[in-house]
Amino acid sequence: MEAVSKTAVAVARVTQARASFDLKGVTAPVTVLRLRSRDLNMVDRQLRAKVTKLPQFFQDAPVIVDLGELEGGVGDLSLPTVVHMLRACGVVPVGAINVADGDREAVRAAGLAMVQMGPARTKELPAEEPAEAPTPAAKPEPKMVAPDRKGEPAAQATPGPMVIRQAVRSGQVIYARNTDLIVLAPVSPGAQIFADGNVHVYSTLRGRAMAGAQGMVEARLFVQKLEAELVAIAGAYVMPDDVPESLRGKAVHAYLENGECRLTGL
């Protein structure tokens, strides 16, 4: 008995000295899928179309399902089907937000966690297009065209570029619709920036960036210091492992050639 007791004490001491795991609270970027319809066939079609356009932006991305805009709560909505649909699209459903008290059991049964999350820490996966950043950004100012020598009226104003002067933090998404995007501060890992036109990053790019988000093949991307998770032009992308060693951490120009995203030094 004494030998057994000594062995148990020794095992306890080793266990205490060598913890097998740590528990830490962390903040990580997630994608939010806000359901606005119970028609899961339509949701599935639109979601697949979105993921197909930007596969590397959403591959294995953790997703939170937002139930807040479903009138009447979960009701007859099949959450297991939603979970299966998300996994089939290559994303990972991990939880749900805005869950009514009466729906908590249905959420648990679907294998989703109950998540409490502030809106400023989420990024949305909309049905139709990339979300804009939740932080304040400079609004595009109209660029006026001067009248010609004959005194004819000025042409219609055209939108100028969107200019972001503050750092783009992890989890944020910036989308410059129908214009260029100019970022004057670092883009953190886990951040995403899109533009329908060109993208200029006059600092370090560590997140993901795409120019020509709606298919403009002439779009260009210019980065002062490339350390990106992904760069893309009109859907064609380059991952970190594909970036030549000579261009890592350097000023880079990305463009589309023969359907592939190419990188050259500046």
Side-chain angles (χ1 to χ4, degrees):
M1 289 293 294
E2 185 177 352
V4 172
S5 177
K6 288 181 178 179
T7 301
V9 170
V11 170
R13 286 177 178 172
V14 171
T15 302
Q16 291 175 355
R18 299 180 182 177
S20 61
F21 61 87
D22 292 321
L23 289 176
K24 296 182 179 180
V26 299
T27 300
V30 295
T31 298
V32 173
L33 176 70
R34 179 173 297 146
L35 287 176
R36 294 191 173 98
S37 171
R38 296 178 185 276
D39 185 346
L40 295 185
N41 288 327
M42 180 175 67
V43 173
D44 185 45
R45 288 196 303 272
Q46 293 182 355
L47 181 61
R48 287 178 184 275
K50 175 59 59 181
V51 172
T52 299
K53 282 184 180 180
L54 303 171
Q56 293 301 319
F57 276 76
F58 300 119
Q59 184 63 42
D60 299 324
V63 170
I64 301 294
V65 180
D66 186 348
L67 303 173
E69 293 199 11
L70 286 177
E71 187 175 349
V74 172
D76 60 354
L77 179 71
S78 173
L79 285 179
T81 301
V82 173
V83 169
H84 175 76
M85 177 180 69
L86 290 169
R87 288 176 177 160
C89 288
V91 298
V92 183
V94 296
I97 58 174
N98 295 322
V99 179
D101 290 342
D103 294 331
R104 296 175 74 87
E105 188 56 40
V107 169
R108 291 193 193 96
L112 297 173
M114 243 69 63
V115 179
Q116 297 297 324
M117 181 181 295
R121 291 190 177 274
T122 67
K123 60 177 182 176
E124 297 179 4
L125 177 59
E128 298 298 330
E129 57 198 1
E132 295 187 6
T135 54
K139 295 181 179 179
E141 297 181 359
K143 184 186 298 181
M144 301 303 296
V145 179
D148 63 20
R149 295 178 182 178
K150 296 181 181 180
E152 296 179 354
Q156 271 193 325
T158 57
M162 175 183 285
V163 180
I164 305 298
R165 295 180 172 84
Q166 68 271 30
V168 185
R169 299 186 300 274
S170 177
Q172 290 185 296
V173 179
I174 303 275
Y175 176 40
R177 187 199 312 271
N178 298 326
T179 190
D180 294 346
L181 175 63
I182 298 174
V183 182
L184 305 178
V187 180
S188 300
Q192 300 182 26
I193 57 174
F194 301 83
D196 288 345
N198 304 303
V199 173
H200 303 256
V201 181
Y202 294 106
S203 187
T204 304
L205 172 64
R206 295 189 176 95
R208 300 183 174 195
M210 172 181 282
Q214 297 298 325
M216 177 181 169
V217 296
E218 299 86 4
R220 305 285 174 131
L221 189 149
F222 303 91
V223 179
Q224 189 175 52
K225 186 176 181 181
L226 181 66
E227 298 178 3
E229 297 171 328
L230 177 145
V231 294
I233 306 292
Y237 56 86
V238 173
M239 300 296 289
D241 291 344
D242 300 323
V243 177
E245 188 66 34
S246 61
L247 296 179
R248 294 177 185 177
K250 304 294 176 54
V252 171
H253 166 213
Y255 58 95
L256 198 68
E257 183 178 78
N258 297 326
E260 295 186 3
C261 183
R262 306 286 188 184
L263 304 178
T264 60
L266 288 174

